[in-house]
């Protein structure tokens, strides 16, 4: 299944981000070195980017897209400074504030931190936050987005706020004793759909199991607690920021269960298939990106699960009741059963993988 177009770049915010250069409000750095946090690939970026640009992106499909376009992807060194730091802030405010703090930290003295956000995604709050942190900002509006920037001035920076906001991205304990961090899926709670799936995990699941789109690892922890015959578990997650919390949660789950098993966390795009074979696969697959429903994402997860299951294997997934997965499941499995429906969700078990 082709996923082309599913992860399309936010064209309006990206286009708006470069308007200050097109209108000569800002000039690109003479040394050609630019840091782009939460970078996204598009035609305009390819036109502007130079070899000295460094693009940071923790979501693997976006990172791979940047690489395919010939852009350099990685993380800056702790003490690395840039005359220009570009930012596409997320909607989640703690996560965005931490990103503004990192951007300012990596800006050289006199350097510029430049951000663009859609008006409907918290642009006004984002501009206010950057001003609180860095001092006076300039701004313009374009493409239903707000573009705003600040110059790094040591005297204007709120140093205490900088330290506080840098810490906002650190993994932290949430309800239930799990470790998570802002911006992950259902980051500050146990997702009710995942909890429903956990309640219906068959106790006789055994052998090697995969959790697709694992997030901070809730379902994997429930597998360890509820299914004593599992002896290996692989977590697959495309968001790199989830990997550290997931590993911490897995270690705790094994301690609490009083047993050790082969448990591994992989930074991986599930839509591209899985590298191993499994006796069972569990998933609360993503079905949207931003605010758009994208059921093809869930169907891609189902395809990858079916391809990775051994002939006797089982797929257990939870989804919103309105999502039309049954037809696709029927194409890949002999038997498809609904185990539960509750609060707008459905838990489905699929067995008998079709070749």
């Amino acid at each position: 299944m082709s996923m082309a177009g599913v992860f399309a770049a936010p064209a309006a915010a990206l286009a708006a981000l470069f308007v200050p250069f097109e209108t000569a409000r800002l000039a690109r750095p003479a040394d050609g070195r630019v840091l782009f946090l939460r970078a996204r690939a598009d035609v305009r970026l390819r036109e502007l980017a130079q070899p000295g640009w460094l693009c940071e992106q923790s979501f693997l499909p976006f990172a791979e897209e940047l690489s395919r376009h010939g852009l350099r992807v990685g993380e800056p060194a702790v003490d690395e400074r840039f005359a220009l730091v570009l930012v596409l802030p997320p909607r989640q405010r703690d996560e965005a504030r931490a990103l503004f703090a990192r951007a300012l930290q990596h800006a050289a003295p006199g350097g510029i931190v430049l951000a663009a956000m859609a008006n409907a995604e918290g642009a006004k709050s984002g501009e206010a936050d950057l001003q609180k942190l860095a001092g006076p900002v300039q701004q313009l509006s374009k493409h239903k987005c707000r573009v705003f920037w600040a110059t790094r001035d040591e005297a204007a920076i709120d140093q205490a706020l900088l330290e506080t906001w840098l810490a906002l991205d650190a993994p932290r304990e949430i309800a239930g004793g799990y470790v998570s961090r802002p911006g992950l899926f259902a980051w500050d709670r146990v997702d009710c759909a995942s909890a429903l799936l956990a309640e219906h995990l068959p106790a006789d699941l055994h052998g090697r199991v995969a959790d697709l789109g694992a997030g901070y690892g809730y379902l994997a922890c429930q597998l360890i607690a509820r299914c004593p015959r599992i002896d290996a578990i692989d977590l697959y997650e495309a968001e790199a920021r989830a990997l550290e919390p997931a590993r911490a949660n897995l270690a705790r789950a094994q301690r609490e269960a009083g047993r050790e098993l082969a448990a591994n966390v992989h930074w991986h795009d599930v839509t591209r298939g899985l590298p191993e074979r499994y006796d069972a696969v569990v998933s609360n697959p993503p079905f949207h990106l931003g605010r758009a429903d994208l059921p093809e994402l869930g169907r891609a997860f189902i395809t990858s699960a079916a391809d990775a299951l051994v002939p006797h294997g089982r797929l257990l997934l939870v989804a919103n009741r309105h999502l039309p997965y049954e037809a696709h499941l029927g194409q890949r499995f002999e038997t498809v059963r609904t185990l539960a429906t509750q609060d707008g969700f459905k838990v489905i078990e699929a067995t008998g993988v079709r070749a």
Side-chain angles (χ1 to χ4, degrees), residues 193-269:
S194 294
L196 182 63
L197 176 53
E199 291 172 13
H200 291 86
L201 289 172
D204 64 345
L205 288 182
H206 62 276
R208 190 169 191 175
V209 180
D211 178 1
L212 310 188
Y216 64 73
Y218 168 78
L219 276 175
C221 293
Q222 292 296 308
L223 285 164
I224 292 170
R226 296 169 184 263
C227 306
R229 294 176 58 197
I230 290 173
D231 51 43
I233 186 165
D234 285 325
L235 283 66
Y236 292 98
E237 172 54 49
E239 176 51 65
R241 298 175 62 254
L243 305 185
E244 182 183 347
R247 292 188 181 104
N249 291 324
L250 278 177
R252 177 188 151 216
Q254 290 180 81
R255 287 195 304 271
E256 291 182 349
R259 65 193 184 101
E260 289 187 17
L261 63 165
N264 293 289
V265 180
H266 307 275
W267 191 37
H268 185 80
D269 178 1

Side-chain angles (χ1 to χ4, degrees), residues 35-57:
L35 174 63
F36 192 173
L37 300 178
R38 298 294 163 86
R40 295 294 306 277
D42 79 338
V43 173
R44 189 72 181 118
L45 178 59
R46 292 204 308 275
E47 292 172 350
L48 287 172
Q50 298 176 354
W53 286 43
L54 176 61
C55 297
E56 182 182 282
Q57 176 53 255

Side-chain angles (χ1 to χ4, degrees), residues 100-353:
F100 286 136
R102 282 196 62 229
L104 194 60
Q105 192 179 44
H106 285 293
I112 301 291
V113 173
L114 171 67
M117 299 177 75
N119 292 335
E121 298 290 327
K124 189 174 181 180
S125 296
E127 181 185 342
D129 281 346
L130 182 60
Q131 184 164 322
K132 281 182 196 171
L133 185 66
V137 301
Q138 298 182 62
Q139 67 93 13
L140 58 84
S141 294
K142 190 76 173 180
H143 308 306
K144 296 183 179 178
C145 297
R146 189 175 295 224
V147 188
F148 48 95
W149 62 95
T151 301
R152 178 172 178 128
D153 175 358
E154 300 304 316
I157 295 172
D158 186 328
Q159 294 292 344
L161 196 62
L162 180 69
E163 295 302 319
T164 299
W165 284 8
L166 284 171
L168 289 176
D169 191 46
R172 66 179 81 168
E173 190 170 309
I174 61 165
Y178 295 98
V179 174
S180 183
R181 72 199 311 174
L184 302 183
F185 170 70
W187 78 271
D188 58 349
R189 62 192 183 280
V190 172
D191 173 64
C192 55
S194 294
L196 182 63
L197 176 53
E199 291 172 13
H200 291 86
L201 289 172
D204 64 345
L205 288 182
H206 62 276
R208 190 169 191 175
V209 180
D211 178 1
L212 310 188
Y216 64 73
Y218 168 78
L219 276 175
C221 293
Q222 292 296 308
L223 285 164
I224 292 170
R226 296 169 184 263
C227 306
R229 294 176 58 197
I230 290 173
D231 51 43
I233 186 165
D234 285 325
L235 283 66
Y236 292 98
E237 172 54 49
E239 176 51 65
R241 298 175 62 254
L243 305 185
E244 182 183 347
R247 292 188 181 104
N249 291 324
L250 278 177
R252 177 188 151 216
Q254 290 180 81
R255 287 195 304 271
E256 291 182 349
R259 65 193 184 101
E260 289 187 17
L261 63 165
N264 293 289
V265 180
H266 307 275
W267 191 37
H268 185 80
D269 178 1
V270 168
T271 69
R272 292 180 172 270
L274 303 179
E276 305 290 344
R277 303 277 280 172
Y278 295 97
D279 298 289
V281 172
V282 303
S283 186
N284 179 0
F287 65 90
H288 56 77
L289 194 67
R291 296 183 176 186
D293 265 17
L294 292 170
E296 55 264 48
L297 265 179
R299 289 194 287 269
F301 271 52
I302 290 166
T303 295
S304 294
D307 290 344
L309 281 166
V310 299
H312 65 269
R314 285 191 272 184
L315 169 63
L316 291 134
L317 65 85
V318 65
N320 283 45
R321 287 178 66 179
H322 75 276
L323 291 170
Y325 291 154
E326 282 77 5
H328 189 58
L329 285 162
Q331 292 171 3
R332 297 305 313 267
F333 294 91
E334 298 285 350
T335 304
V336 179
R337 294 194 303 140
T338 300
L339 301 183
T341 56
Q342 183 179 309
D343 300 328
F345 300 105
K346 55 190 174 185
V347 176
I348 299 172
E349 180 185 55
T351 56
V353 182

